[in-house]
């Protein structure tokens, strides 16, 4: 399974109200937009954490080591270990700004294909399971699971758990829109 191939305006809508619409591409760096218009950068290899974001609370950039690319093309049993360097600027309530730099270690593996049922339907998918480690203690901090469908050309489900708190969350695909179908009226009708 090669890296996902997208067309501009490809839109993916999830059951938590999340909308991801592709607005520009430069090589393997993709600019996605939420339905509200907030933009962020992500690698074509979506298992790499967001590369750049800017919200009311924080903004930041990330760089992943080249080993992250070795996960693709997907094949059961394939593994990749990589490092992610994150620079974040967090806005305080008093208007001050705090800068933080953090290094994370990631380990991902591809599981055998299996069908998965989500609101958009049942798809054959490859599960990519990633664990984030502390570089100091080597303890696992969180686990993420992505279910990638080659038929859809994007992930149809994502879930994760923060091991320190036990907090679990995730979302699943409701609709994938392409071309003219990816218009605001259609997106709004699906969201409602």
């Amino acid at each position: 399974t090669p890296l996902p191939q997208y067309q501009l305006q490809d839109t993916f809508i999830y059951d938590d109200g999340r909308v991801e619409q592709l607005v520009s591409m430069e090589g393997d760096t993709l600019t996605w937009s939420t339905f509200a218009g907030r933009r962020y950068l992500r690698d074509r290899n979506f298992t790499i954490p967001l590369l750049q974001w800017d919200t009311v609370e924080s903004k930041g950039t990330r760089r992943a080591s080249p080993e992250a690319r070795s996960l693709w093309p997907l094949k059961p049993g394939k593994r990749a270990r990589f490092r992610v360097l994150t620079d974040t600027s967090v806005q305080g309530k008093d208007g001050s700004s705090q800068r933080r730099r953090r290094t994370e270690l990631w380990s991902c593996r591809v599981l055998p294909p299996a069908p998965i049922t989500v609101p958009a339907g049942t798809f054959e998918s490859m599960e990519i399971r990633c664990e984030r480690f502390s570089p100091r203690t080597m303890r696992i901090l969180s686990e993420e699971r992505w279910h990638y469908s080659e038929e859809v050309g994007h992930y149809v489900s994502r879930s994760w758990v923060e091991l320190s708190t036990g907090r679990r969350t995730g979302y699943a695909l409701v609709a994938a829109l392409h071309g003219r179908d990816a218009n605001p009226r259609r997106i709004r009708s699906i969201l409602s």
Side-chain angles (χ1 to χ4, degrees), residues 2 7 18 52 65-66 75 83 137 141 151 173 186:
Q7 299 293 319
R18 176 184 313 267
Q52 186 176 335
S65 62
K75 189 169 123 183
R83 189 177 63 254
T137 65
L141 302 174
E151 177 186 346
L173 188 70
R186 181 80 189 274

Side-chain angles (χ1 to χ4, degrees), residues 9 11 13 21 35 177 179-191:
Q9 301 308 310
T11 302
I13 303 171
Q21 186 170 59
F35 192 57
L177 305 175
R180 285 187 182 172
D181 289 339
N183 62 67
R185 175 188 267 168
R186 181 80 189 274
I187 295 168
R188 251 192 302 278
S189 73
I190 292 168
L191 289 172

Side-chain angles (χ1 to χ4, degrees), residues 32-50:
W32 294 89
S33 177
T34 66
F35 192 57
R38 188 174 51 82
R39 293 181 177 208
Y40 53 94
L41 298 183
R42 169 169 266 154
D43 193 275
R44 191 177 299 273
N45 172 4
F46 51 79
T47 61
I48 296 173
L50 293 182

